Amino acid sequence: METSIFEIIGPVMIGPSSSHTAGMARIGMMANRILQVDAASVRLTLSPKMRTTYYGHRSDAALFGGTLGMSEDDPEIRDAIAIAHANGVETKVDFLEEGKYPENSARVTVYTKDGEEYSVFGTSIGGGSILISEIDRVPMRLTADTWHVIVWSETELAKETFAGAKEVQQGISEKQEYVTCGTFLEKPDESMLELLRGQNMVKKISLASPVLAYGSSKRHVEWISSCDSVCEYAEKENLTLAETAVRYESLRSGFSEKVIRDRMHEQWLLMKESVKKGQEEHQLLYGLTSGKDGKMLMQAVEKEETISGGTIPLATAMALGVMEYNGSMGCIVAAPTAGSSGIAPGCMTALQQVHQLSDKQIEDGLFVSALIGVIMAACDVSFSGSVGGCQGEVGVSSAITSAGMASIFTEDKEAIMHAMAICMKNLLGLVCDPIAAPIEVPCIKRNAVGVANAYISSDMALAGVRSFIPPDEVIDALIDVEKRLPSELKCATIGGLACTKTAVCTRKKLTQ
């Protein structure tokens, strides 16, 4: 699956974590669309590591909400558990065996009033992206951006029955039923569905529409594999990097340039709205910070009381506010994660205000940021703190934002890529050490470091400073450090700030 630019500037979501909230909501939504049954009860079986994180990230609410049909940006997801109980649906949370399943995984088991049991197993792989790997414990590989026809039958089905399918997967469940899934890039023809429904051995059939709104991958784009190859393509086609991003998304999804640009405009408007909302006072989920840090810094900026001057404190105040809004279950645009969702809006909103830039100029900058994020994804960079540390969240967001800002002031592709490289090098090895699961400490203030890093790195690149290590090799180094970073320093509430006396006491209070 090719990564969409709207997986980098996105998703639009409610909740403190793209991996643990938005991703979990999407696993629940996939379960809802795959199973299509009326639930009497829903049981979640989560990765063991999520014992200490799911309550702070509202993963349970997201999964239950998604299973009831709520999307990751639905305001009702805040109260999904209460809504389930009000509708007579029982809820339960358990945990998977140690060491047998990927991190950030969940099995959603739905029990019907007739006593039937169905399950879907999925993994959140970072930035809200997910992969479904089981239906009724039958191994499958389903993505959230395609159409799926799932059939439960007494006997094996011929794969040829799924006319036009990109792929057909099949296996036998523990109930000794055949589960077959045909995957389609477009909505399958109704005649094929009628043919399946008419077969006597078929017990149940469902048509699962895509969970992701930005379309399926229609074409493999080879030149997205590195910074060098993207720049070479852009030069050959006489395109700016922003135009190259639009071209890539059009090739990937089949959508027109207008549709793609309109969607980025909507994302930008949502970012600006989150900046505005961020300047209010907020009651964070766990109240570990004041909820008004962004507002207090903004007041200092307006009174010209900051010792570091103008633009960076302004952008930082905006970024802090967005993170506080996020921590109070506000609707934000992850870029590329919720834990780093203050950086791009804060930087870009301040840049627009100080330099009197148009929305189109900012949106072009966001396209460049997204393009570089897509390159990173193509190289297998993880945007999940629990997989790669905060260098994959605040580090990546800072780096792609720096490149996006540089692109607004220059068309020099080398300068733009080196803004990313300089910025990324500064945060290699950054650990993910939330002290009590939610993003409140230290994630909110860490976004402030990301803002300053993005601005300074962009300024250096625009001044002609270059990274001695080429941009593509910096991405290689990021991947290397993500793999080498100890698990205790990856969103585990074990190492770093999470092992301090204050953190340990705080966790005990929150779990009593």
Side-chain angles (χ1 to χ4, degrees):
M1 181 179 75
E2 304 284 0
T3 301
S4 169
I5 61 173
F6 298 112
E7 288 181 82
I8 308 300
I9 304 299
V12 177
M13 58 166 289
I14 291 171
S17 170
S18 45
S19 294
H20 295 91
T21 318
M24 292 299 158
R26 286 174 168 177
I27 291 173
M29 281 191 286
M30 285 289 285
N32 174 276
R33 298 183 187 191
I34 289 169
L35 302 180
Q36 295 183 11
V37 294
D38 291 328
S41 66
V42 178
R43 177 187 178 189
L44 309 179
T45 317
L46 310 177
S47 298
K49 192 173 178 180
M50 292 176 68
R51 288 179 188 274
T52 58
T53 61
Y54 84 90
Y55 62 93
H57 289 143
R58 303 301 302 277
S59 303
D60 50 349
L63 279 160
F64 287 127
T67 305
L68 295 177
M70 301 174 193
S71 63
E72 68 268 19
D73 62 346
D74 188 335
E76 288 195 329
I77 210 160
R78 302 180 181 109
D79 305 307
I81 298 174
I83 291 171
H85 294 168
N87 284 280
V89 179
E90 297 179 357
T91 60
K92 185 178 181 180
V93 177
D94 285 319
F95 297 92
L96 296 162
E97 294 178 56
E98 292 279 354
K100 292 188 64 175
Y101 300 93
E103 295 178 9
N104 301 338
S105 294
R107 177 173 286 116
V108 180
T109 306
V110 178
Y111 303 89
T112 70
K113 293 178 180 178
D114 298 327
E116 295 179 314
E117 174 185 333
Y118 298 93
S119 69
V120 168
F121 186 94
T123 302
S124 178
I125 55 179
S129 297
I130 65 168
L131 179 68
I132 301 300
S133 54
E134 288 181 10
I135 300 176
D136 281 354
R137 301 184 185 249
V138 175
M140 299 274 181
R141 184 179 175 84
L142 280 66
T143 58
D145 65 341
T146 47
W147 292 81
H148 305 286
V149 176
I150 304 94
V151 181
W152 288 258
S153 59
E154 296 176 357
T155 58
E156 186 175 3
L157 295 176
K159 293 185 178 181
E160 293 75 17
T161 310
F162 295 80
K166 175 185 176 184
E167 182 181 19
V168 179
Q169 303 171 79
Q170 190 173 69
I172 303 176
S173 73
E174 293 178 348
K175 295 182 286 186
Q176 298 303 303
E177 293 177 341
Y178 281 87
V179 182
T180 310
C181 176
T183 297
F184 299 80
L185 296 181
E186 304 286 350
K187 185 176 181 180
D189 189 84
E190 184 61 33
S191 61
M192 186 206 73
L193 297 175
E194 288 300 319
L195 179 64
L196 285 167
R197 292 188 186 103
Q199 298 191 33
N200 291 330
M201 74 285 290
V202 170
K203 299 180 65 177
K204 173 179 164 58
I205 182 170
S206 66
L207 172 61
S209 59
V211 163
L212 306 184
Y214 44 74
S216 61
S217 299
K218 301 289 192 300
R219 176 175 168 182
H220 174 62
V221 183
E222 292 183 357
W223 48 262
I224 203 67
S225 60
S226 70
C227 297
D228 283 347
S229 60
V230 166
C231 289
E232 287 171 7
Y233 178 85
E235 287 294 329
K236 177 184 174 183
E237 298 293 319
N238 194 29
L239 299 172
T240 66
L241 288 181
E243 292 167 341
T244 304
V246 176
R247 172 76 61 84
Y248 163 77
E249 186 66 15
S250 182
L251 290 171
R252 186 204 69 81
S253 67
F255 290 146
S256 68
E257 177 179 334
K258 183 179 186 306
V259 169
I260 293 165
R261 287 193 173 275
D262 285 350
R263 184 171 181 85
M264 185 60 82
H265 181 62
E266 291 174 6
Q267 304 289 82
W268 171 232
L269 292 181
L270 285 167
M271 282 184 168
K272 288 202 288 187
E273 179 65 17
S274 69
V275 169
K276 181 180 177 181
K277 293 283 190 182
Q279 290 309 304
E280 301 170 3
E281 293 187 20
H282 299 285
Q283 179 60 52
L284 276 70
L285 284 173
Y286 291 88
L288 302 184
T289 63
S290 71
K292 57 181 180 181
D293 289 352
K295 184 177 181 179
M296 289 192 296
L297 181 56
M298 183 64 76
Q299 290 171 344
V301 171
E302 291 170 347
K303 294 176 182 177
E304 299 183 352
E305 294 176 348
T306 61
I307 62 174
S308 54
T311 306
I312 292 179
L314 174 65
T316 301
M318 292 175 172
L320 289 174
V322 171
M323 286 295 292
E324 289 176 321
Y325 180 53
N326 175 29
S328 62
M329 296 294 282
C331 185
I332 53 91
V333 179
T337 69
S340 63
S341 60
I343 296 172
C347 285
M348 291 297 190
T349 304
L351 199 70
Q352 181 176 53
Q353 182 174 315
V354 171
H355 292 274
Q356 299 297 299
L357 301 173
S358 68
D359 283 344
K360 168 67 164 52
Q361 288 173 294
I362 296 294
E363 289 157 20
D364 277 352
L366 291 173
F367 273 119
V368 172
S369 296
L371 181 67
I372 294 176
V374 168
I375 295 169
M376 290 181 174
C379 296
D380 289 331
V381 169
S382 173
F383 303 139
S384 169
S386 61
V387 175
C390 200
Q391 61 189 341
E393 297 201 37
V394 166
V396 165
S397 183
S398 182
I400 67 174
T401 300
S402 183
M405 289 195 295
S407 73
I408 296 172
F409 296 94
T410 183
E411 292 185 6
D412 183 344
K413 299 174 181 62
E414 181 185 49
I416 294 165
M417 291 299 181
H418 278 262
M420 176 277 293
I422 292 168
C423 197
M424 191 68 251
K425 288 194 303 182
N426 293 339
L427 294 180
L428 282 179
L430 183 60
V431 305
C432 182
D433 52 352
I435 68 167
I439 56 109
E440 297 174 26
V441 181
C443 313
I444 292 177
K445 296 181 182 70
R446 197 165 276 168
N447 273 241
V449 174
V451 166
N453 188 30
Y455 268 95
I456 294 302
S457 299
S458 186
D459 275 339
M460 284 195 284
L462 290 170
V465 177
R466 295 293 179 264
S467 168
F468 183 79
I469 306 299
D472 281 318
E473 292 183 28
V474 172
I475 294 176
D476 292 339
L478 169 60
I479 296 167
D480 179 71
V481 178
E482 285 190 335
K483 291 177 179 178
R484 292 178 188 271
L485 198 66
S487 60
E488 292 84 357
L489 300 178
K490 297 178 181 179
C491 201
T493 62
I494 296 174
L497 294 174
C499 74
T500 62
K501 181 178 179 180
T502 297
V504 172
C505 291
T506 300
R507 285 197 297 276
K508 287 181 178 178
K509 289 179 182 178
L510 291 177
T511 55
Q512 284 177 350

